[in-house]
């Protein structure tokens, strides 16, 4: 019995040490935040190393069972993140080209197109066509030396432009009878990327789309809606799940429109639940609805996925303070496992989440310079986190401290 008690005491001490160290590390991250994701060499490569291993083990097939675009997104974001990392660190260029081209092959494979219809225009729908075209253009922004790939980019861009030109609505279908404005935003951004790389060709289509998009804003929020019918009639107003992606791409299209949309979004969706945060609500303040297949589970109205993607939106819109805050919270709450050769979150159990994290943390615009202009956060946003971490760091040792004081009452000081 005595041996058991000694073993239990040592086990509790070890747990206490681990908890305290974790809290101290968390305190350090909040008191002395990283100077920015671009100043963390190797972090993106370690995240991408984990994702490549996961993809080799079939993570994209598993992701497809979780939601309809799981296979596509995991591969596309992997390729795009490599390109973004290489645009930050040119030393990664050759590896980025190799890995992003491999990812492009996978999104264009039969498995990558399986859930999309070739009968739509553009072929396989605007979601598949837009993201694929953006990925191909991103690769060409690193190396445009392959004439066949340039020709494919030209042809696919022309097909997308023709579909928009023939449409009475700015929002094309991703699936039969279903359209989401975010998908069309990505597709039009790929046309802007084409014109940046190879000269003006689709400017008129892009301008027409922007004018039409402004005419189809959600009247309740002034933002692009989440879901529409094929004729452009709004089904669901603005939501963070799609807004965070839309705002990743709007700066590529129109700086003024993007700035106005970002401020409207921030004013209505940024929140501090229970004094903690910042975080992003799935629905604007005053609207409380349950989560669904698009948002995933909501915690006190907060969309965890939108908050992750919001880091990237903040980066490209020049909101560096919010980006740093969301990054710090992710490092605290995301259960990161940071090893010399790899880095993963949530113990690597949900690789699609890791793909969104690295895509967001390496975010940068391709056709323009990052937006300027800082927006303020509540100056005290760190305080609740610091209090909780400080308390948790001390709690494991309260029992030992009380016991020591009982054994040595003199430590309490003289009486009387």
């Amino acid at each position: 019995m005595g041996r058991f008690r000694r073993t239990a005491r040592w086990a509790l001490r070890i747990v206490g040490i681990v908890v305290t160290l974790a809290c101290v590390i968390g305190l350090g991250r909040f008191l002395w935040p990283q100077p920015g994701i671009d100043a963390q060499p190797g972090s993106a490569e370690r995240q991408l190393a984990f994702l490549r291993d996961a993809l080799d083990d079939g993570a994209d097939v598993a992701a497809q069972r979780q939601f309809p675009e799981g296979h596509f997104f995991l591969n596309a974001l992997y390729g795009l993140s490599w390109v973004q990392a290489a645009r930050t660190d040119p030393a990664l260029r050759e590896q980025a080209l190799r890995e992003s081209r491999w990812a492009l092959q996978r999104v264009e494979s039969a498995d990558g197109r399986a859930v999309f219809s070739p009968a739509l225009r553009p072929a396989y729908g605007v979601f598949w066509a837009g993201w694929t075209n953006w990925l191909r253009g991103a690769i060409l922004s690193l190396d445009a030396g392959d004439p066949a790939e340039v020709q494919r980019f030209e042809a696919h861009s022309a097909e997308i432009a023709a579909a928009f030109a023939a449409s009475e609505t700015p929002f094309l279908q991703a699936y039969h009878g279903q359209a989401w404005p975010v998908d069309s935003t990505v597709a039009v951004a790929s046309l802007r990327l084409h014109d940046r790389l190879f000269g003006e060709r689709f400017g008129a289509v892009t301008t027409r789309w922007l004018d039409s998009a402004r005419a189809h804003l959600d009247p309740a929020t002034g933002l692009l809606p989440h879901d529409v019918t094929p004729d452009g009639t709004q089904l669901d107003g603005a939501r963070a799940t799609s807004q965070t992606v839309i705002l990743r791409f709007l700066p590529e299209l129109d700086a003024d429109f993007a700035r106005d949309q970002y401020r409207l979004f921030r004013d209505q969706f940024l929140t501090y639940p229970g004094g903690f945060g910042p975080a992003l609500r799935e629905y604007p303040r005053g609207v409380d609805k349950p989560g669904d297949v698009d948002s995933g589970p909501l915690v006190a109205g907060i969309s965890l996925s939108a908050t992750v993607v919001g880091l990237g939106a903040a980066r490209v819109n020049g909101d560096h303070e919010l980006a740093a805050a969301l990054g710090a919270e992710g490092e605290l709450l995301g259960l990161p496992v940071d090893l010399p050769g790899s880095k993963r979150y949530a113990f690597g159990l949900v690789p699609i989440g890791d793909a969104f994290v690295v895509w967001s943390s390496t975010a940068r615009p391709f056709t323009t310079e990052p937006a300027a202009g800082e927006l303020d956060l509540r100056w005290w946003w760190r305080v609740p986190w610091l209090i909780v971490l400080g308390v948790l760091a001390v709690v494991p040792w309260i029992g030992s401290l009380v016991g020591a004081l009982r054994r040595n009452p003199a430590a309490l000081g003289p009486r009387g």
Side-chain angles (χ1 to χ4, degrees):
M1 181 65 70
R3 181 179 298 175
F4 174 79
R5 287 178 177 174
R6 287 194 297 271
T7 302
R9 282 198 298 270
W10 276 107
L12 288 173
R13 287 174 184 171
I14 292 171
V15 170
I17 290 170
V18 171
V19 170
T20 299
L21 283 176
C23 291
V24 169
I25 292 171
L27 285 165
R29 285 173 173 160
F30 277 95
L31 288 171
W32 298 282
Q34 293 286 348
I37 199 72
D38 295 341
Q40 300 178 42
S43 179
E45 296 107 287
R46 292 194 299 276
Q47 293 177 68
L48 290 166
F50 163 69
L51 283 176
R52 178 57 195 258
D53 288 342
L55 283 165
D56 288 340
D57 289 339
D60 48 0
V61 176
Q64 186 62 39
R65 292 194 290 267
Q66 296 170 1
F67 67 101
E69 297 88 18
H71 182 284
F72 183 95
F73 256 140
L74 190 49
N75 285 287
L77 296 179
Y78 175 74
L80 287 169
S81 298
W82 265 115
V83 175
Q84 291 173 171
R87 289 173 71 92
T88 299
D89 182 0
L92 299 175
R93 178 177 176 275
E94 293 305 317
Q95 188 176 6
L97 284 170
R98 182 172 63 252
E99 295 299 315
S100 57
R101 286 167 176 162
W102 177 82
L104 179 60
Q105 291 176 351
R106 292 173 75 85
V107 302
E108 292 190 309
S109 69
D111 288 337
R113 301 192 308 263
V115 299
F116 305 104
S117 171
L120 291 172
R121 290 294 175 265
Y124 301 101
V126 72
F127 171 89
W128 185 91
W131 280 96
T132 302
N133 209 45
W134 179 259
L135 175 56
R136 176 172 277 110
I139 295 169
L140 291 172
S141 74
L142 291 181
D143 181 7
D146 185 342
E149 280 301 293
V150 174
Q151 186 175 11
R152 290 189 187 96
F153 189 45
E154 294 273 359
H156 291 167
S157 295
E159 182 185 7
I160 290 171
F164 279 114
S167 175
E168 295 182 359
T169 168
F171 309 132
L172 305 182
Q173 295 180 67
Y175 301 96
H176 283 294
Q178 296 177 291
W180 291 267
V182 59
D183 302 330
S184 292
T185 307
V186 178
V188 176
S190 77
L191 302 182
R192 180 74 84 194
L193 180 55
H194 169 279
D195 288 1
R196 176 64 182 266
L197 295 175
F198 301 109
E200 183 76 19
R201 181 178 175 186
F202 303 115
V205 173
T206 302
T207 298
R208 177 176 178 265
W209 184 88
L210 285 165
D211 291 342
S212 186
R214 288 188 180 96
H216 286 79
L217 297 176
D218 170 24
T221 61
L223 298 164
L224 287 171
H226 176 71
D227 190 9
V228 299
T229 63
D231 66 1
T233 302
Q234 179 174 309
L235 293 174
D236 198 356
R239 291 174 51 178
T241 297
S242 55
Q243 282 298 314
T244 49
V245 179
I246 287 171
L247 293 167
R248 277 289 303 269
F249 290 92
L250 274 187
E252 313 277 3
L253 296 170
D254 186 299
D256 293 336
F257 186 37
R259 181 174 57 254
D260 293 342
Q261 290 283 287
Y262 184 78
R263 290 179 180 273
L264 283 171
F265 170 72
R266 203 177 187 275
D267 289 345
Q268 298 174 80
F269 287 81
L270 185 65
T271 188
Y272 300 83
F276 292 88
L280 294 174
R281 295 177 51 85
E282 174 63 13
Y283 298 95
R285 280 192 294 274
V287 178
D288 292 300
K289 297 180 181 179
D292 58 16
V293 68
D294 289 332
S295 68
L298 304 183
V299 180
I302 302 302
S303 170
L304 302 181
S305 59
T307 300
V308 169
V309 179
L311 188 159
R315 280 172 56 83
V316 300
N317 284 278
D319 195 357
H320 304 298
E321 188 175 353
L322 177 58
L326 295 178
E329 290 175 340
E331 292 299 306
L332 177 67
L333 302 175
L335 304 176
V337 179
D338 199 345
L339 303 174
S342 69
K343 183 176 182 179
R344 66 203 70 187
Y345 292 84
F347 304 110
L349 297 175
V350 190
I352 187 67
D354 291 84
F356 277 105
V357 168
V358 69
W359 179 62
S360 299
S361 63
T362 58
R364 57 189 306 116
F366 284 8
T367 67
T368 185
E369 294 301 316
E374 198 73 33
L375 298 171
D376 293 332
L377 291 179
R378 294 180 178 179
W379 65 267
W380 49 264
W381 73 266
R382 290 185 178 88
V383 174
W385 292 113
L386 296 176
I387 292 173
V388 169
L389 290 170
V391 170
L392 290 176
V394 173
V395 163
W397 309 107
I398 291 178
S400 298
L401 179 61
V402 171
L405 292 175
R406 285 176 177 173
R407 291 190 297 272
N408 184 19
L412 294 173
R415 296 183 180 182

